[in-house]
């Protein structure tokens, strides 16, 4: 173990219990529902018919499939299930059937679910902006879960209920992996993590009704309003795919997370970090461009991944 690594390990040994609190306290979701739906809409548009059919057959086995159809509003049931699945891992944060490990008693397991844990640690990985050491443990495990879930979804010998449980998570986490602040946190001199910008208050003059918010929430909300759906969702997805071409390579979950970490290190934080910084027009325009590009890339990559796993 090098001297630096020893020092780093000590540093983290001190702050890890604090980061573990993040798993329990992590208040914001991820991209809001709009970000996840846009990525899912783009993915749907780019999947071939056999992949769409395979996705639909898996999601039909999900215990909440019928509930999702209540929100179809005349849309294709397969597309409805796919869009609803993309936000399902966030929806269960407010669902009383589920519980948060470490702060709530387990709730009784409903048919079709492995258990009712909310798995808040699956949504992110905690890597310090500017530098990180791959050997350091993170309370968040999105990197490992993306790999594990893809394996389950792609394995035709797995139980249908296991694949139906894994697929909404996989759809959702491909989106989260592209949100820069789901891959990075800034650490203060006291060793405390800002929890992916959740503990950074900013003033956002471009959102006059809720100008004081967390930096994490600011990024989550950039792709669009949470109610974005229907024809406006479709036109948003079309506009984004005409603006941003398919990424040269689909890449791996590790590469998507590395990209997010790099973006977070360079562009996610306003330059002034003390007090509550005010978002400038330049910062806002750049952040909007990054967020739009990332949800579009997530959509293209989700389509490629599912096609590779299911065709
Ligand atoms: Zn999430």
């Amino acid at each position: 173990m090098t001297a630096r690594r020893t020092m780093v390990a000590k540093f983290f040994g001190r702050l890890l219990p604090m980061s573990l609190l993040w798993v329990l306290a992590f208040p914001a979701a991820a991209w809001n529902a709009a970000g996840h739906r846009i990525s899912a809409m783009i993915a749907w548009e780019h999947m071939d018919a056999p992949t769409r059919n395979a996705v639909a057959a898996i999601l039909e086995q999900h215990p909440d499939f019928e509930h999702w159809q209540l929100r179809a509003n005349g849309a294709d049931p397969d597309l409805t299930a796919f869009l609803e699945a993309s936000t399902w891992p966030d929806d269960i944060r407010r669902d009383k059937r589920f519980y948060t490990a470490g702060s709530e008693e387990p709730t009784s397991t409903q048919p079709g679910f492995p258990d009712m844990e909310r798995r808040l640690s699956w949504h992110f990985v905690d890597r310090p902006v500017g530098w990180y050491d791959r050997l350091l443990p993170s309370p968040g495990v999105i990197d490992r879960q993306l790999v594990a879930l893809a394996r389950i979804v792609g394995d035709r010998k797995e139980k249908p209920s296991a694949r139906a449980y894994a697929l909404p998570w996989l759809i959702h986490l491909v989106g989260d992996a592209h949100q820069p602040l789901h891959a990075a946190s800034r650490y203060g001199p006291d060793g405390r993590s800002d929890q992916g910008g959740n503990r950074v208050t900013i003033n956002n003059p471009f959102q006059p009704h809720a100008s004081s918010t967390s930096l994490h929430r600011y990024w989550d909300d950039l792709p669009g309003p949470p109610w974005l759906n229907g024809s406006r969702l479709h036109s948003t997805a079309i506009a984004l795919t005409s603006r941003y071409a398919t990424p040269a390579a689909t890449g791996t979950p590790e590469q998507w997370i590395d990209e997010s970490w790099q973006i977070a290190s360079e562009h996610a934080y306003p330059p002034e970090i003390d007090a509550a910084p005010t978002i400038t027009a330049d910062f806002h325009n750049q952040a909007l461009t990054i967020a739009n590009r990332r949800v579009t890339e997530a959509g293209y990559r989700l389509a490629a991944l599912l096609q590779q796993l299911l065709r």
Side-chain angles (χ1 to χ4, degrees):
M1 196 180 248
T2 63
R4 178 176 172 273
R5 184 157 294 159
T6 313
M7 192 188 78
V8 165
K10 273 192 188 143
F11 174 66
F12 266 73
R14 206 155 41 81
L15 62 85
L16 252 190
M18 196 64 79
S19 339
L20 280 170
L21 288 176
W22 181 7
V23 177
L24 304 176
F26 198 67
W31 295 127
N32 70 25
H36 287 287
R37 282 200 204 104
I38 292 168
S39 296
M41 190 77 225
I42 290 170
W44 191 256
E45 292 286 321
H46 287 82
M47 289 189 305
D48 58 18
T51 308
R52 282 185 183 180
N53 291 340
V55 163
I58 295 173
L59 292 179
E60 255 176 57
Q61 305 294 316
H62 194 281
D64 287 348
F65 179 83
E66 294 301 328
H67 177 72
W68 293 338
Q69 295 307 322
L70 300 176
R71 298 180 213 156
N73 213 0
D76 170 48
D78 295 346
L79 171 59
T80 298
F82 192 66
L83 294 175
E84 292 297 321
S86 77
T87 59
W88 186 84
D90 280 341
D91 297 337
I92 64 172
R93 292 166 190 260
R94 297 175 295 275
D95 188 329
K96 295 267 190 281
R97 293 174 300 168
F98 293 81
Y99 72 99
T100 302
S103 66
E104 290 172 341
E105 288 299 314
T107 49
S108 58
T109 304
Q110 308 279 312
F113 292 107
D115 59 56
M116 308 310 279
E117 222 275 277
R118 292 197 175 100
R119 311 197 197 289
L120 301 186
S121 67
W122 286 16
H123 296 259
F124 67 96
V125 64
D126 197 5
R127 295 178 176 174
V129 293
W131 64 273
Y132 79 92
D133 187 320
R134 273 168 204 281
L135 297 179
L136 292 170
S138 154
V141 291
I142 189 174
D143 46 351
R144 276 183 276 148
Q145 281 310 315
L146 276 165
V147 175
L149 292 161
R151 192 199 58 71
I152 295 168
V153 168
D155 185 352
R156 285 171 170 76
K157 291 196 217 81
E158 273 285 358
K159 284 196 304 191
S161 62
R163 296 175 84 199
Y165 181 77
L167 183 52
W169 271 109
L170 182 63
I171 298 166
H172 180 84
L173 295 186
V174 171
D176 278 355
H178 284 75
Q179 208 281 40
L181 286 175
H182 275 248
S185 291
R186 191 171 255 176
Y187 285 83
D190 58 354
R192 289 185 78 187
S193 158
D194 73 6
Q195 300 172 348
N198 272 297
R199 293 180 59 237
V200 178
T201 302
I202 53 114
N203 179 42
N204 175 16
F206 304 97
Q207 181 63 270
H209 300 300
S211 59
S212 178
T213 187
S214 77
L215 183 66
H216 188 99
R217 178 78 192 268
Y218 166 79
W219 276 93
D220 276 350
D221 288 344
L222 285 168
W227 55 85
L228 186 68
N229 218 333
S231 59
R232 291 185 68 179
L233 170 65
H234 190 251
S235 55
T236 302
I238 300 291
L240 286 172
T241 49
S242 60
R243 199 182 314 160
Y244 301 104
T246 318
T250 299
T252 62
E254 195 53 44
Q255 286 164 344
W256 311 335
I257 291 164
D258 267 348
E259 290 168 0
S260 282
W261 172 79
Q262 195 73 42
I263 293 169
S265 297
E266 291 168 9
H267 303 297
Y269 288 81
E272 31 158 347
I273 52 165
D274 37 25
T278 295
I279 299 297
T280 63
D282 281 352
F283 182 90
H284 189 60
N285 289 334
Q286 185 184 54
L288 262 178
T289 304
I290 291 172
N292 283 332
R293 183 168 50 79
R294 293 301 276 167
V295 293
T296 311
E297 284 172 351
Y300 287 129
R301 287 164 163 176
L302 177 59
L305 175 66
L306 293 176
Q307 220 143 260
Q308 186 189 315
L309 295 172
L310 297 172
R311 187 158 46 178

